Amino acid sequence: MNKISEIFQAWVSAANPTPEQKQIAEYRASVCDSCEHKTHVAAINSFVCGKCGCPLSKKVFSPKPGPQACPLAKWEK
C-alpha cells in the first residue's frame, strides 16, 4: 500500500468508522497519549505525530497493521 492510499483510507475511515475501526483507533490514541512524540500544533489546534507529521485524529485510523502504521511500532493493533 502506498502512502497516499494509506492516508486517503485513514481519512475516509475517520469520517465514518465501523465499530471495529473505532475500537482500534481508541486503542491507538491511548498509546499516543503517553508518547513523547505527540505534539500540539497551535496553528491547527490539533495534535500530530512528531515522527511522521500526521494528524493523530486521522493517523489512528490507518488501515495498516499497528506496528506498520506507527512510525515507532508502538501500536500492537
Side-chain angles (χ1 to χ4, degrees):
M1 171 180 306
N2 70 40
K3 194 68 170 169
I4 292 172
S5 177
E6 176 190 1
I7 292 167
F8 177 77
Q9 288 181 23
W11 280 71
V12 169
S13 295
N16 190 24
T18 65
E20 181 183 4
Q21 289 168 326
K22 189 174 180 177
Q23 180 185 26
I24 290 170
E26 288 171 354
Y27 157 76
R28 291 176 174 183
S30 72
V31 172
C32 292
D33 284 342
S34 63
C35 181
E36 67 276 11
H37 296 286
K38 181 179 178 180
T39 306
H40 185 262
V41 178
I44 59 172
N45 193 29
S46 190
F47 289 95
V48 299
C49 173
K51 290 302 272 185
C52 68
C54 291
L56 290 175
S57 62
K58 306 303 185 269
K59 180 74 175 174
V60 296
F61 285 97
S62 172
K64 286 187 170 184
Q68 293 174 22
C70 173
L72 300 170
K74 290 187 173 188
W75 296 340
E76 293 178 11
K77 50 180 167 170

